[in-house]
Amino acid sequence: MDGCVFCQIVAGDVPGHLVLETDDLVAFLDTRPVFKGHVLLVPRDHVETLPDLPAALRDPFLFAAQRIATAVKDGLGAQGSFVAVNNTVSQSVPHLHLHVVPRTKGDGLRGFFWPRTKYAAGEPETYAARLRAALDGRPDGRPEGRPLS
């Protein structure tokens, strides 16, 4: 896609420090890393968000993420990693990208970067039902033949 910096990195038009390349995916170092070794994994074809990812790429995408998460431990000595995907909101580049950030105990990164909230009485059930309905395509949230629990 014209103007997409990740498409330009994939095409080799913009330099990137490549970490992994497959026929369908490319991983490279983030130019503004949370910690050194912060990797971005992207599909070669322009895909904006995770829901847009073609079914054929779901397993390869997650498999590559697993490999990178292992590599930051084995190759960089990290104790673990933070793995995240933003969809539209907080997505600085509108091209699907998965972050793998090396982590070590005491590195200063604390949980998520947004405030937490609490549910009021009865709200968890309502939210769960609405999500089940969206997943099942049913307005009442009841899967076919099963009571709402």
Side-chain angles (χ1 to χ4, degrees):
M1 173 177 217
D2 290 341
C4 174
V5 68
F6 290 169
C7 287
Q8 293 170 346
I9 291 170
V10 167
D13 298 335
V14 170
H17 294 90
L18 302 185
V19 173
L20 175 73
E21 287 188 89
T22 72
D23 290 343
D24 300 311
L25 307 167
V26 175
F28 48 88
L29 293 180
D30 192 312
T31 59
R32 296 181 315 125
V34 174
F35 298 116
K36 293 175 183 175
H38 178 166
V39 176
L40 301 177
L41 172 65
V42 304
R44 282 188 183 274
D45 292 335
H46 187 83
V47 173
E48 288 198 14
T49 65
L50 186 60
D52 300 323
L53 186 67
L57 289 183
R58 286 189 304 238
D59 287 344
F61 192 74
L62 187 56
F63 179 63
Q66 287 177 314
R67 292 183 61 207
I68 296 165
T70 300
V72 299
K73 288 179 69 177
D74 296 346
L76 302 178
Q79 294 172 319
S81 60
F82 176 75
V83 178
V85 174
N86 289 310
N87 282 302
T88 309
V89 176
S90 295
Q91 191 177 7
S92 58
V93 176
H95 185 128
L96 173 62
H97 54 287
L98 179 138
H99 298 259
V100 180
V101 179
R103 296 292 315 273
T104 56
K105 189 173 182 164
D107 61 16
L109 190 62
R110 302 249 185 254
F112 293 104
F113 304 111
W114 51 80
R116 300 296 180 103
T117 189
K118 293 184 179 183
Y119 290 106
E123 280 187 324
E125 295 82 2
T126 300
Y127 276 79
R130 288 169 59 190
L131 290 167
R132 283 192 301 271
L135 289 166
D136 295 335
R138 296 175 48 88
D140 62 3
R142 297 174 196 262
E144 197 65 42
R146 292 182 31 200
L148 182 62
S149 53

